[in-house]
Amino acid sequence: MSKILVFGHQNPDTDAIGAAIAFANLQNQLGKDCEAVALGTPNEETQFALDTFGLTAPRVIDSVAKETQEVMLVDHNEFQQSAADIADVTVLAVVDHHRIANFETANPLYYRAEPVGCTSTIVLKLYKENQVEIPKAIAGIMLSAIISDTLLFKSPTCTDEDVTAAKELAVIADVELEVYGLDMLKAGTNLGTKSAAELLDLDAKSFPMGAKNIRIGQVNTVDLKEVFDRQAELEAAMKDSMAANGYDLFLLVATDILDSNSELLVVGEPTAPVEAAFKTTLTNNRAFLPGVVSRKKQIVPQLTEVFEG
């Protein structure tokens, strides 16, 4: 029998990879035969975390049906964010903290979704509920995922449960939470060596909203000017991506992790709903979004309300 593949969303962030590693390990301890894989290579932040805790990055795949007929999903459920042939296999389980959309299965499954800041916070609960000990390295990558998804507890998606989980995992991982957290987040802000296309694809997801197909990418930085000095290059790459993939709009959210603000770059039409969603006016295709750091809570719901309302 083939292994059950466990993976997060396309363009994986630290939670997509960390939760897959942790959940696959838990399932193996419970008697399943699972392998954590990834729908993309780790970004620099995630690689920093993997290296810190001595973990090997999961192998990268883009399709699953040739390898297995059974999968488990973490940190996503929407099929357009998953493996290309996800509809051709059986989804045995989902552990997620996002909205539920564009998802259905032919068979019953285990589904665990909670409104917390990070999937790994939920996976920690599953370890405890099943009375399975958490290895140091697994604790470290789960901690890294929580730090990443909550921007070291600055994101409005962060809950008390995430903070409590992070503190517990930091003890097991034997790291100083605040020191390690800032070092890891800074590791993910090295943007200068990347092409515009690579920047756009670092952490990007597609969302059908009404009749529109919207692509939303996000990059973390400690210098917004460094990002927007490349605006012309970014806009050209966004247009290329839209033409190749059929997106109506491409939004890039550049987030300053130190000041907890973001700046928005928009390419495509219509832009009026974007302005309405954020109560702003685009100037030179850009808008400053004070206090906005979370795509899940401060970007997607606002756009969805306007485009589908």
Side-chain angles (χ1 to χ4, degrees):
M1 181 179 293
S2 58
K3 285 187 176 182
I4 300 166
L5 298 183
V6 182
F7 50 89
H9 52 75
Q10 298 171 19
N11 301 319
D13 56 10
T14 304
D15 192 30
I17 288 181
I21 292 172
F23 191 58
N25 178 74
L26 172 61
Q27 292 300 315
N28 287 331
Q29 296 303 311
L30 295 175
K32 299 286 197 306
D33 185 13
C34 292
E35 179 190 0
V37 293
L39 303 183
T41 56
N43 59 37
E44 288 179 294
E45 175 194 280
T46 307
Q47 193 61 55
F48 177 89
L50 292 167
D51 292 343
T52 298
F53 297 105
L55 292 168
T56 301
R59 66 186 178 93
V60 176
I61 63 170
D62 57 16
S63 61
V64 292
K66 291 181 181 179
E67 295 191 45
T68 185
Q69 280 301 303
E70 297 180 320
V71 301
M72 297 181 178
L73 310 183
V74 296
D75 200 32
H76 76 297
N77 66 82
E78 299 186 49
F79 276 13
Q80 77 273 8
Q81 298 175 5
S82 198
D85 54 354
I86 188 65
D88 298 330
V89 297
T90 299
V91 180
L92 297 178
V94 176
V95 182
D96 194 16
H97 68 132
H98 295 94
R99 71 176 190 172
I100 301 172
N102 309 307
F103 176 87
E104 64 179 1
T105 62
N107 300 305
L109 75 161
Y110 177 85
Y111 202 110
R112 182 74 169 260
E114 297 186 21
V116 292
C118 182
T119 305
S120 290
T121 297
I122 307 170
V123 177
L124 172 60
K125 292 183 182 182
L126 295 174
Y127 270 88
K128 296 165 78 170
E129 290 168 10
N130 287 280
Q131 299 181 342
V132 174
E133 184 176 353
I134 304 174
K136 178 179 178 179
I138 298 295
I141 198 64
M142 292 168 69
L143 168 65
S144 302
I146 295 172
I147 291 168
S148 176
D149 267 13
T150 67
L151 284 179
L152 200 53
F153 316 132
K154 291 181 180 179
S155 171
T157 62
C158 183
T159 68
D160 291 342
E161 291 183 72
D162 297 299
V163 177
T164 299
K167 290 178 178 178
E168 182 176 340
L169 291 166
V171 172
I172 301 172
D174 192 26
V175 294
E176 183 66 37
L177 176 54
E178 296 288 337
V179 174
Y180 169 72
L182 191 56
D183 287 344
M184 188 199 78
L185 290 176
K186 286 183 176 178
T189 63
N190 180 23
L191 307 179
T193 60
K194 294 178 176 60
S195 68
E198 289 171 330
L199 279 182
L200 296 176
D201 221 27
L202 278 176
D203 182 10
K205 295 181 179 179
S206 302
F207 299 89
M209 297 182 185
K212 301 299 181 182
N213 186 13
I214 300 177
R215 185 73 163 172
I216 306 175
Q218 185 168 24
V219 296
N220 291 337
T221 183
V222 293
D223 183 2
L224 289 173
K225 183 176 182 299
E226 178 187 11
V227 175
F228 287 97
D229 279 347
R230 303 174 64 180
Q231 181 173 343
E233 181 188 359
L234 288 167
E235 288 185 357
M238 292 162 82
K239 291 175 182 176
D240 288 343
S241 182
M242 291 169 64
N245 298 285
Y247 306 134
D248 297 292
L249 275 169
F250 201 130
L251 281 66
L252 177 64
V253 183
T255 299
D256 187 325
I257 63 170
L258 299 181
D259 293 339
S260 299
N261 298 312
S262 293
E263 191 155 356
L264 182 65
L265 178 63
V266 182
V267 171
E269 293 292 342
T271 58
V274 177
E275 293 179 322
F278 304 114
K279 298 179 175 58
T280 189
T281 300
L282 293 171
T283 302
N284 189 26
N285 298 329
R286 290 162 52 179
F288 185 68
L289 304 178
V292 171
V293 297
S294 170
R295 176 174 53 198
K296 183 180 76 171
K297 192 166 185 176
Q298 296 174 297
I299 301 289
V300 173
Q302 289 77 2
L303 288 170
T304 302
E305 182 178 358
V306 172
F307 278 97
E308 297 186 355

